[in-house]
Amino acid sequence: MGKGFFIDLTKCTACRGCQVACKQWHKLPAEDTYNWGSYQNPADLSFITYKLVRMEEYVENGKVTDWLFFPDQCRHCIEPPCKMVGDMDDEQAILQDFDTGTVMFTGRTRNLFPDEIKGSCPYDIPRACEDTGVISKCDMCFDRVINGMLPACVLSCPTGAMHFGDLGDMKAMAEERLAEVKKIYPNAVLGDPRAVRVIYLFQTSPHRYHGAAVASLHGPKRFTRKEAFAKLFKTRRPLA
Amino acid sequence: MKLGRREFINLSATATAVTAFTGLGINLQPSTVKAQLLKIHWAKETTSICCYCSVGCGVLVHTDESGTGRCINIEGDPDHPINEGSLCAKGAALYQVVENENRLTKVMYRAPYTDKWVEAPWSWALSQIAKKVKEARDATFVEKNDQGQVVNRTDGIAHVGSAEIENEDNWFLQAMQRSMGLVYIEHQARI
C-alpha cells in the first residue's frame, strides 16, 4: 500500500518549520523574496521550493473572518497523472517507487514538456528550471524514508499537524481525527483521501484555502490529446 | 550507525528494487534510482541545543568527518524530551548559523568618517574596545548624585545582552558591568 502523509490543518500554525526543514535537507538555495502583501513567502512554489505554507485570508461581508494555513506539497498521487503524461515522452523521467509510492522526478525530466507536466497536475505542483528545463517537486525525502527516517518536514512539525506512516494507518488516523474535528468545524473534510498519499484535513471548505487544494475544484477536467492518450494506454499498476 | 559490507549490499538491493511499471503490461526493466545512501550516513552525530529562544530544543548536528570536516546537516533530535524532533522555522535553519557565506569570520573595522570597512587583527580590536570603554567610563563616572549620596555609576555606557549567551557567560558579563558602574543593562528580548 505504500507510505502516506496525514496533514491536520486544524493544528497548523504556519510557523513554516516544514518549509525551512525541506530547504535545509535538500540544500536548496534561498529565494529572492519581497513583500507582496502577504506573510506567505515566497509567493509560490518554484524549482527550488518544494514545500510552501500558503496563507489565505477568508473575507466575509468585508471582514476577515478566518486566516487559513495550508502547507502545500506534492500529493504523491496513487495514480499520478504527471507520470502518465511524462511516460509518453520518456519513461525514465518520472518514476514511481513500488514500496513507498513516491513519485519521483529525475534529471531526465528535461526531456519532457514542462507546461504539459504542470498542466497535468491537479494540484499545480511541478515547477521547471528555466535554464535547464529539468522539472522538480517534493520527493517525499525518499532517501530518508527508505533509511527508516521521517521526511524532513514531518520531523520538524512542532504542533503535530503533520504525520507520516503507512498509508492505511494515515487514512485511519485521518478518519478518526475528522470525526473529532467535525464537532467544532461541521464543514471539515478530507482532501481526495482515495486518490492521493498526502491527505489533508480541511477545517472548512477547501476552496477557501487555495485554488488547487483539492483536485475536484478544477471543475470538469478537459484533457489535452496527449493526456487522453496517456489515460487510455496507462497500465493498471499492481498495488501492494 | 556503522555500515558493514553485508548491510551495504542489503541497502543497494533496496535501492535497485525501485522499479517503475510502464507501458502495456509490466515492464521488467528496472529503472533504478541512484543508490540512496543517506548523505549523513558516514557523518559524526553530535547532540546540541538550539541557540535561539529559551525553549531549548535539542538538535542533532551531522559533521562530515572524512571530507571537509564541516557541518552538513542539522535537524531536530527525536530523542530529546523538549521537542521530540520538531523545530520551528528558525531552528530548522540552524545549519546556516554554521555554513553561510555571509557569516563574519574576521574583525571588520570602519574608522570614523569613512565608509570603508577594513580587516583588523583581533588583538588590536580587543585592546581598542577596552581603551574606548575605559575612556567613556572615566569621562562619565559619577561618584555622588545631586543629593550627595554615593552612587558610583557611569551613565555613558549601556549594555544590550542576548538570549544566545549562556548562564555562566552572563554571570561574567553582569559582574564586569556592575563593577564598572553600568546601570543601563538591558536584554535583547525586552527591546
Side-chain angles (χ1 to χ4, degrees):
Chain A
M1 201 168 196
K3 297 289 181 187
F5 293 72
F6 166 50
I7 304 181
D8 184 352
L9 297 180
T10 62
K11 288 188 180 174
C12 180
T13 60
C15 75
R16 282 189 287 221
C18 52
Q19 193 178 315
V20 179
C22 176
K23 280 244 171 192
Q24 198 276 137
W25 178 254
H26 293 100
K27 295 288 177 286
L28 295 167
E31 297 266 5
D32 193 6
T33 59
Y34 60 98
N35 185 347
W36 64 288
S38 168
Y39 284 109
Q40 178 184 318
N41 201 9
D44 196 14
L45 293 167
S46 77
F47 181 68
I48 52 167
T49 302
Y50 304 161
K51 175 111 191 170
L52 172 70
V53 179
R54 295 185 185 275
M55 307 184 193
E56 199 64 49
E57 285 177 349
Y58 185 66
V59 183
E60 233 170 354
N61 303 326
K63 267 189 182 169
V64 178
T65 55
D66 219 343
W67 198 16
L68 302 165
F69 306 135
F70 182 64
D72 201 4
Q73 67 172 85
C74 171
R75 313 296 199 278
H76 297 278
C77 300
I78 288 165
E79 292 194 3
C82 58
K83 179 163 172 57
M84 290 177 206
V85 174
D87 281 354
M88 304 289 282
D89 293 309
D90 186 345
E91 293 193 354
Q92 309 275 300
I94 300 175
L95 306 176
Q96 192 174 22
D97 173 42
F98 189 70
D99 292 329
T100 61
T102 311
V103 179
M104 202 171 336
F105 282 27
T106 69
R108 291 180 68 154
T109 46
R110 66 177 181 273
N111 301 334
L112 308 179
F113 298 94
D115 290 346
E116 267 179 23
I117 302 299
K118 192 168 180 283
S120 73
C121 178
Y123 307 101
D124 189 29
I125 298 294
R127 296 286 186 274
C129 175
E130 280 181 16
D131 301 333
T132 59
V134 175
I135 313 171
S136 77
K137 63 157 192 68
C138 157
D139 61 358
M140 210 199 253
C141 284
F142 181 71
D143 48 352
R144 292 173 67 95
V145 171
I146 62 164
N147 286 289
M149 295 170 79
L150 286 173
C153 55
V154 178
L155 177 71
S156 83
C157 183
T159 61
M162 298 193 62
H163 304 269
F164 183 82
D166 290 331
L167 185 57
D169 295 348
M170 289 301 112
K171 276 184 178 166
M173 191 189 270
E175 292 293 347
E176 198 181 318
R177 179 70 184 151
L178 178 67
E180 229 171 87
V181 167
K182 278 225 168 188
K183 290 174 201 157
I184 305 161
Y185 302 107
N187 297 328
V189 282
L190 299 178
D192 305 332
R194 275 177 297 277
V196 295
R197 292 184 182 277
V198 181
I199 303 166
Y200 287 94
L201 168 55
F202 298 93
Q203 69 202 50
T204 178
S205 171
H207 78 261
R208 293 184 183 180
Y209 282 80
H210 162 55
V214 288
S216 44
L217 291 178
H218 279 303
K221 180 153 168 59
R222 282 202 306 255
F223 289 102
T224 62
R225 208 167 58 138
K226 200 161 188 176
E227 282 175 297
F229 269 119
K231 232 180 155 47
L232 196 65
F233 288 122
K234 78 152 190 257
T235 322
R236 287 273 156 204
R237 201 174 65 87
L239 285 171
Chain B
M1 183 175 126
K2 288 275 174 284
L3 194 77
R5 190 176 144 272
R6 192 169 295 273
E7 287 88 336
F8 183 79
I9 291 167
N10 273 340
L11 207 65
S12 314
T14 324
T16 41
V18 178
T19 317
F21 297 99
T22 50
L24 296 168
I26 295 168
N27 184 352
L28 285 177
Q29 226 176 6
S31 37
T32 54
V33 179
K34 266 188 215 161
Q36 294 271 356
L37 258 181
L38 272 186
K39 60 184 167 191
I40 54 173
H41 213 98
W42 306 102
K44 189 175 109 184
E45 203 173 80
T46 319
T47 57
S48 187
I49 307 289
C50 174
C51 64
Y52 290 114
C53 78
S54 53
V55 170
C57 295
V59 295
L60 293 176
V61 182
H62 293 104
T63 321
D64 180 12
E65 276 198 309
S66 52
T68 55
R70 301 291 301 181
C71 166
I72 52 170
N73 180 52
I74 300 184
E75 63 181 54
D77 180 358
D79 294 331
H80 199 276
I82 301 278
N83 58 328
E84 296 178 348
S86 68
L87 287 175
C88 73
K90 283 174 82 181
L94 269 183
Y95 169 74
Q96 293 211 358
V97 173
V98 197
E99 303 293 334
N100 191 326
E101 58 188 31
N102 295 325
R103 272 190 75 205
L104 282 184
T105 51
K106 299 171 199 122
V107 177
M108 298 301 285
Y109 175 67
R110 183 180 63 78
Y113 311 112
T114 70
D115 55 356
K116 299 271 187 304
W117 291 89
V118 289
E119 212 178 293
W122 273 102
S123 53
W124 176 84
L126 286 173
S127 62
Q128 190 71 8
I129 291 167
K131 216 184 288 175
K132 292 282 177 197
V133 169
K134 179 82 167 69
E135 263 176 41
R137 190 216 179 227
D138 289 352
T140 60
F141 193 74
V142 183
E143 209 178 314
K144 284 187 178 147
N145 67 2
D146 300 343
Q147 279 103 51
Q149 294 159 318
V150 178
V151 285
N152 282 337
R153 69 178 178 220
T154 174
D155 295 335
I157 310 176
H159 179 268
V160 180
S162 158
E164 298 189 26
I165 305 177
E166 287 128 34
N167 207 31
E168 288 72 19
D169 293 348
N170 270 324
W171 189 89
F172 278 118
L173 278 172
Q174 184 74 259
M176 183 185 80
Q177 286 144 22
R178 294 289 179 200
S179 66
M180 289 194 301
L182 261 76
V183 285
Y184 305 130
I185 301 175
E186 250 303 350
H187 182 265
Q188 145 250 347
R190 295 212 312 174
I191 296 174

